[in-house]
Amino acid sequence: MSAHVPSRTSPLSRPGIRILLPVTLAVLAMLVTALPPAAASTTASRYTAKPTVVLVHGAFADASSWSKVVARLQEAGYPVIAPANPLRDLAGDSTYLSSVVSSIDGPVILVGHSYGGAVISNAATGHPNVKALVFIAAFAPEEAESALDLTGRFPGSQLPTSLITRQYPLPGGGTGTDAYIAPAAFRTAFAADLPARDTALMAATQRPAALAALGSPGGAPAWKAVPSWYLVAGADRAIPPAAQRFMAKRAGAHTSEVREASHVIMISRPETTVAVITAAARATR
């Protein structure tokens, strides 16, 4: 003999629910069909996606100089690229960086250190997805100005008396001239706030810059159209702090300064460097 199980009335069979459910489903269907398929995800991404941060090193350094900054930005959820700056000539280096920017979907924050600032000033032109330029103890030249022009305009740089040169063959024939910082002068002129054991390694592995690059005139600067931020290294013996303040003011940049920092402020003060970059990212979203 089987037990009798009393039937239960489903909550959906109640009169009110029977009337409302079809109406609700119809309204939802209308909303879904009225929006493009990717509208919801696109709208959400505007508020949640972070820009790609592109970090450009300068002369006498390489992409590893950004290592501490990269780690902190990645921890904060930012996509990061730190390409190798060729350091051959400003026009060619800028064209190379422009090709990197062209490969990136979505907004970009371009960050340059030292000579890398001149490169980002040129490379950002023609890229509406570049939302901010960030100069870290960097050159921000006006059109026709070179890095050497700006360094020589203000007293205090130790680079002119610290450089050694080596010749190298050019692809089309002839020779070029590479500039290095003499190992004995490297720490004092470039990275005085880092331990001597670190600067000895940096001096041995430094990337030379062609004198042609440092003497190349800048093109029409993107900082005239793109919002900019500037972090001044107040104890810099490579680019005089007075030159940095002058360039930051001329560019109308949001400016901050660490008075005791050497030229490699992104290595000795990574937290401050990241704070400036993320401030630019937040302000331009």
Side-chain angles (χ1 to χ4, degrees):
M1 181 177 178
S2 59
H4 175 69
V5 180
S7 61
R8 295 182 179 177
T9 303
S10 167
L12 296 180
S13 66
R14 294 173 185 170
I17 298 296
R18 277 203 303 268
I19 294 170
L20 292 175
L21 185 57
V23 174
T24 302
L25 292 175
V27 171
L28 287 174
M30 290 173 61
L31 291 173
V32 170
T33 55
L35 291 172
S41 60
T42 301
T43 302
S45 67
R46 291 176 185 169
Y47 298 97
T48 60
K50 291 182 176 176
T52 298
V53 179
V54 179
L55 303 165
V56 183
H57 68 82
F60 321 119
D62 60 23
S64 68
S65 61
W66 293 110
S67 294
K68 294 179 180 179
V69 171
V70 170
R72 287 163 172 79
L73 287 171
Q74 288 178 335
E75 288 173 1
Y78 286 90
V80 184
I81 300 175
N85 187 355
L87 305 179
R88 299 293 85 188
D89 70 89
L90 182 56
D93 297 344
S94 301
T95 299
Y96 169 72
L97 180 61
S98 177
S99 73
V100 174
V101 175
S102 294
S103 72
I104 301 170
D105 292 328
V108 171
I109 307 297
L110 275 182
V111 184
H113 171 247
S114 192
Y115 166 75
V119 176
I120 70 172
S121 290
N122 282 1
T125 300
H127 293 286
N129 61 325
V130 174
K131 301 304 181 183
L133 302 174
V134 182
F135 298 91
I136 306 298
F139 291 107
E142 176 61 276
E143 188 168 6
E145 283 181 341
S146 72
L148 293 180
D149 291 337
L150 287 161
T151 301
R153 191 180 304 175
F154 297 85
S157 176
Q158 295 186 9
L159 286 183
T161 58
S162 302
L163 297 181
I164 58 176
T165 59
R166 295 188 174 99
Q167 302 299 306
Y168 66 93
L170 295 171
T175 59
T177 302
D178 263 340
Y180 297 76
I181 300 176
F186 192 94
R187 184 169 187 267
T188 300
F190 199 69
D193 56 352
L194 295 182
R197 65 180 180 275
D198 293 343
T199 56
L201 177 61
M202 291 168 65
T205 59
Q206 65 180 291
R207 285 272 310 280
L211 286 179
L214 299 176
S216 296
W223 48 256
K224 288 189 174 181
V226 180
S228 62
W229 278 253
Y230 201 112
L231 179 58
V232 175
D236 198 328
R237 296 171 185 166
I239 302 177
Q244 296 180 40
R245 297 182 194 110
F246 165 77
M247 290 184 283
K249 182 177 180 180
R250 181 175 64 181
H254 304 270
T255 304
S256 53
E257 180 169 353
V258 179
R259 296 183 63 182
E260 304 83 8
S262 75
H263 187 58
V264 291
I265 189 170
M266 71 289 192
I267 300 176
S268 63
R269 305 293 198 285
E271 295 87 355
T272 304
T273 303
V274 169
V276 173
I277 295 169
T278 54
R282 289 192 300 269
T284 54
R285 287 177 68 180

